[in-house]
Amino acid sequence: MAIFKKKQPKEVSLSDIVLPEHIGIIMDGNGRWAKKRGLPRSAGHTAGAQTFRKIARYCSDIGIKYLTVYAFSTENWRRPGDEIDALMRLFKDYLQESIRDFKDDSIVLRFIGDRTAFSPELLSLMNENEEESCDRDGMVLNIAMNYGGRAELVRAIRSLAARAAEGGIKPEDITEQTVSDNLYTAGQPDPDLIIRPSGENRTSNFLLWQSAYAEYVIMDVLWPDFTSDDLDRALIEFAKRNRRFGGV
Ligand code: FPP
């Protein structure tokens, strides 16, 4: 995957292009952003959380239907305890804030990932946010927390295997559709565009099944510095891609 340079000029406006229905973002580079400033990694996450708020709002404003952000992976538990605590505090702050503002918002909040690992307090905020927002008609915002693409597939396979063992389905009934229907993102379209700031050329276990035909745009900007202009550039780059889905 090539790195899409930040300095590339913006040539067209968003009104001239077809926007993706579903965008995924790997919010990467918080640690490096903090290190560059001689700050603790948690300061990078705090700045990253602010960027997340702005970019989620911007995606909703320009009419994106689904946004999935990678906030905490199944592998992120390997980080030092103080960094994990700081991230959990940021999640809590955001979830409390979104409950407070829920009447003025049209965004539907969903959480994807294994939520059994979270504190009862965080868990109840997650449930409350989903319940409060489920009848809204705006952008669906999936926050991937304790999410891993492989773990998601194992969960789907186990569920299908259990149904087969009970005689509910036959192995040949298992199709790409039934697998999709057993993922956290069941019922949602696959991401068309995945943006990875910070220049890393990896999927990092993000939406492995769903991203089969996603266009990746890797950008050389650290997540806390990411702006709506950067998002526009990614959208314009996406619009130039010739998506063939395996055809010609
Ligand atoms: C990866 O950057 C980022 C994370 C593991 C955390 C992402 C979390 C946020 C943006 C803040 C909170 C989010 C919400 C939903 C309120 P990194 O730490 O791996 O950066 P590095 O590669 O530069 O070290």
Side-chain angles (χ1 to χ4, degrees):
M1 291 179 212
I3 296 181
F4 182 75
K5 294 283 176 204
K6 187 173 191 241
K7 294 284 172 261
Q8 190 148 330
K10 218 167 105 178
E11 300 138 13
V12 269
S13 105
L14 291 192
S15 52
D16 302 330
I17 62 171
V18 176
L19 296 178
E21 191 178 15
H22 186 168
I23 300 178
I25 304 183
I26 301 177
M27 304 188 288
D28 194 18
N30 296 346
R32 274 162 286 169
W33 183 93
K35 195 171 173 203
K36 265 173 54 182
R37 289 162 177 76
L39 297 170
R41 293 178 59 82
S42 58
H45 295 312
T46 304
Q50 282 304 102
T51 302
F52 155 72
R53 285 176 174 85
K54 287 187 212 141
I55 295 298
R57 178 66 48 208
Y58 183 66
C59 285
S60 158
D61 289 348
I62 63 172
I64 299 301
K65 300 275 185 287
Y66 297 85
L67 171 67
T68 303
V69 292
Y70 207 5
F72 195 85
S73 76
T74 44
E75 290 71 37
N76 285 152
W77 297 107
R78 295 180 193 146
R79 294 189 175 209
D82 60 337
E83 184 174 344
I84 294 176
D85 291 347
L87 280 165
M88 297 301 146
R89 268 196 304 278
L90 288 170
F91 297 148
K92 188 175 126 189
D93 289 350
Y94 175 70
L95 296 182
Q96 284 176 330
E97 180 188 304
S98 52
I99 287 284
R100 270 199 310 273
D101 300 343
F102 89 97
K103 283 200 185 70
D104 309 321
D105 214 334
S106 66
I107 295 179
V108 179
L109 263 174
R110 299 281 310 274
F111 299 93
I112 64 170
D114 175 9
R115 52 182 88 185
T116 58
F118 294 113
S119 69
E121 188 186 22
L122 206 52
L123 199 57
S124 86
L125 279 168
M126 290 161 89
N127 291 335
E128 206 181 331
N129 265 285
E130 284 187 334
E131 281 159 25
E132 294 287 2
S133 69
C134 67
D135 292 329
R136 296 178 189 164
D137 58 359
M139 181 181 83
V140 174
L141 171 58
N142 295 313
I143 304 185
M145 282 170 58
N146 195 23
Y147 173 86
R150 287 185 171 188
E152 180 182 38
L153 281 166
V154 168
R155 177 175 170 270
I157 291 162
R158 282 192 183 147
S159 156
L160 290 165
R163 280 168 54 201
E166 288 161 3
I169 52 168
K170 295 197 279 297
E172 56 271 29
D173 294 333
I174 298 173
T175 62
E176 292 191 9
Q177 188 60 50
T178 56
V179 173
S180 293
D181 292 344
N182 281 275
L183 301 178
Y184 293 118
T185 50
Q188 301 187 13
D190 287 339
D192 310 287
L193 166 65
I194 296 186
I195 301 171
R196 180 157 196 166
S198 96
E200 303 288 357
N201 284 269
R202 283 190 291 278
T203 63
S204 295
N205 209 7
F206 184 52
L207 302 179
L208 291 184
W209 175 275
Q210 299 90 329
S211 65
Y213 285 101
E215 294 293 330
Y216 257 85
V217 174
I218 313 285
M219 303 181 80
D220 64 348
V221 50
L222 301 174
W223 176 248
D225 292 329
F226 193 92
T227 64
S228 55
D229 274 354
D230 293 315
L231 192 94
D232 288 357
R233 286 188 187 86
L235 293 171
I236 291 164
E237 168 63 17
F238 168 79
K240 289 186 199 155
R241 303 266 176 99
N242 177 11
R243 301 182 79 199
R244 293 188 296 278
F245 300 95
V248 286

